[in-house]
Amino acid sequence: MSAAPPRLRTGRDPEMREYRLGSAVLTTYRGWCKGCDLCINSCPASILALADDDRIEVTDVSRCIFCGICVVRCPDFVFSMRRDRSAR
Ligand code: SF4
Ligand code: SF4
């Protein structure tokens, strides 16, 4: 069975973005981003960029390898990652 296609969802917090690929979930809290570029320069898939409002966005989650480097690199705890065991 193939994995679910990548999808993006927003939460109750309007600055929250949740990027899903199969059971992998990468969440960003954009309101905490100060646009320092650390994660952008560290992402091995080169899929992180600043949006027009100078806050981070994932440009193509289908290329994300869910390595967690952005989670570790961001000094402002913008990223979190988890596995959704109910998803396929
Ligand atoms: S998890 Fe890895 S590949 Fe995905 S956005 Fe973060 S640094 Fe890039
Ligand atoms: S490392 Fe964190 S604060 Fe810096 S640009 Fe990336 S998300 Fe924003």
Side-chain angles (χ1 to χ4, degrees):
M1 181 180 296
S2 61
R7 58 193 173 94
L8 167 66
R9 158 174 110 78
T10 54
R12 276 173 288 183
D13 178 346
E15 296 289 1
M16 190 271 266
R17 302 281 187 276
E18 192 177 83
Y19 302 89
R20 286 176 174 259
L21 189 61
S23 61
V25 184
L26 178 64
T27 303
T28 62
Y29 292 91
R30 302 177 73 249
W32 299 348
C33 177
K34 62 175 187 279
C36 69
D37 282 0
L38 276 173
C39 63
I40 296 170
N41 294 330
S42 303
C43 174
S46 301
I47 56 171
L48 297 177
L50 295 180
D52 291 342
D53 62 359
D54 281 338
R55 301 226 164 117
I56 203 68
E57 66 179 7
V58 180
T59 61
D60 183 2
V61 72
S62 70
R63 290 170 42 216
C64 179
I65 58 173
F66 291 87
C67 63
I69 290 175
C70 54
V71 179
V72 174
R73 289 293 282 167
C74 177
D76 292 293
F77 306 101
V78 168
F79 297 94
S80 64
M81 193 177 297
R82 66 185 170 86
R83 177 174 298 257
D84 181 355
R85 296 189 186 281
S86 68
R88 289 181 172 251

